[in-house]
Amino acid sequence: MENRILKEIRKNGLFIEDDVYQYGMFILIHYLIYAIFSFIMCLYLGCVKEMVIFCTSFSILRKYVGGFHFDNSKICTFFTIFFTTLFSFLASKIQINLFLFLFIIFFTRGLINKTGCIDHKNKKLSYKEKNVYKNRAMKIITIYSIIGFITKLFGIIIVVNVLGIMLIFIFSIILIGAYSNEFQKRGEENNENCNI
């Protein structure tokens, strides 16, 4: 099937290298599996609205803060489905008041301000790029704060609950990502010292 799609693309005058096409198909399949299984799990648990808000807000912010990455795509997909379902379910059951929401915002902003964007070991970012990403993340969190505050005033509690839970998750993956990067740096430094 993949070859038929690639042939059809090339037949229409577009040239895509095989490895770029393969990577794109891999990502597409990964996201389809994630979306289908997350939807089924959240449908069963009765938290589809929370899942939609969670996935939307999380994917926007995750782009700029980075975090922990698994080396194995199957493990990554499993945990992505698991955590999306878990945090969507928690958001449907836990009530976050305005004080707690502001507390979560405050600590998440503080952590992002301190750590900045957590880059991937295979795609290191420059200091300037990290600052751009950090500033964008701070703006997004400010927007989420305003959205949360306004929706809470109008009694739309689901948004505050999901944003609060999502920010706790972001906080966690930033911490894990920062510590795993630090652990990796120390290992690289020890290897360099051993090779001398």
Side-chain angles (χ1 to χ4, degrees):
M1 177 163 165
E2 285 184 14
N3 289 335
R4 279 192 284 161
I5 295 171
L6 185 58
K7 285 178 185 175
E8 196 64 34
I9 290 171
R10 288 182 177 162
K11 189 171 116 179
N12 288 315
L14 297 172
F15 180 77
I16 298 175
E17 294 179 21
D18 288 346
D19 59 336
V20 172
Y21 173 77
Q22 294 295 330
Y23 180 72
M25 287 302 290
F26 171 79
I27 296 297
L28 176 64
I29 290 168
H30 169 81
Y31 279 112
L32 285 174
I33 291 169
Y34 161 66
I36 291 167
F37 278 96
S38 294
F39 179 78
I40 290 169
M41 297 291 290
C42 289
L43 185 64
Y44 176 75
L45 295 170
C47 55
V48 172
K49 289 183 214 171
E50 289 84 356
M51 183 201 80
V52 171
I53 298 168
F54 178 85
C55 290
T56 304
S57 59
F58 175 74
S59 62
I60 292 169
L61 187 55
R62 171 68 188 236
K63 178 179 178 182
Y64 297 107
V65 297
F68 182 76
H69 298 275
F70 287 103
D71 290 330
N72 183 311
S73 64
K74 290 177 183 165
I75 293 172
C76 179
T77 301
F78 171 79
F79 278 105
T80 303
I81 293 167
F82 174 77
F83 284 120
T84 297
T85 304
L86 174 67
F87 286 107
S88 298
F89 179 73
L90 288 175
S92 73
K93 300 298 179 195
I94 296 173
Q95 296 294 315
I96 295 180
N97 63 35
L98 199 54
F99 176 74
L100 181 57
F101 182 68
L102 294 174
F103 184 78
I104 293 166
I105 294 280
F106 175 76
F107 275 97
T108 305
R109 286 181 61 91
L111 181 65
I112 291 172
N113 193 44
K114 179 161 177 48
T115 63
C117 173
I118 307 298
D119 52 2
H120 190 275
K121 65 182 178 184
N122 296 331
K123 186 185 175 208
K124 298 290 183 187
L125 299 173
S126 69
Y127 179 77
K128 184 177 179 180
E129 289 172 318
K130 282 187 177 188
N131 274 336
V132 168
Y133 277 66
K134 178 171 80 171
N135 290 334
R136 288 181 183 163
M138 295 297 239
K139 288 176 185 173
I140 291 167
I141 291 177
T142 301
I143 292 168
Y144 287 171
S145 304
I146 294 167
I147 290 170
F149 186 73
I150 291 171
T151 56
K152 186 73 169 178
L153 287 178
F154 285 101
I156 308 170
I157 297 167
I158 186 174
V159 176
V160 174
N161 291 343
V162 174
L163 288 176
I165 295 292
M166 182 273 304
L167 288 171
I168 291 170
F169 185 48
I170 286 285
F171 188 89
S172 303
I173 62 172
I174 292 171
L175 274 179
I176 293 168
Y179 283 113
S180 69
N181 279 0
E182 187 61 33
F183 184 72
Q184 180 185 353
K185 285 178 193 172
R186 288 182 183 168
E188 290 170 359
E189 288 172 3
N190 287 340
N191 286 339
E192 288 175 10
N193 292 337
C194 290
N195 292 333
I196 296 178

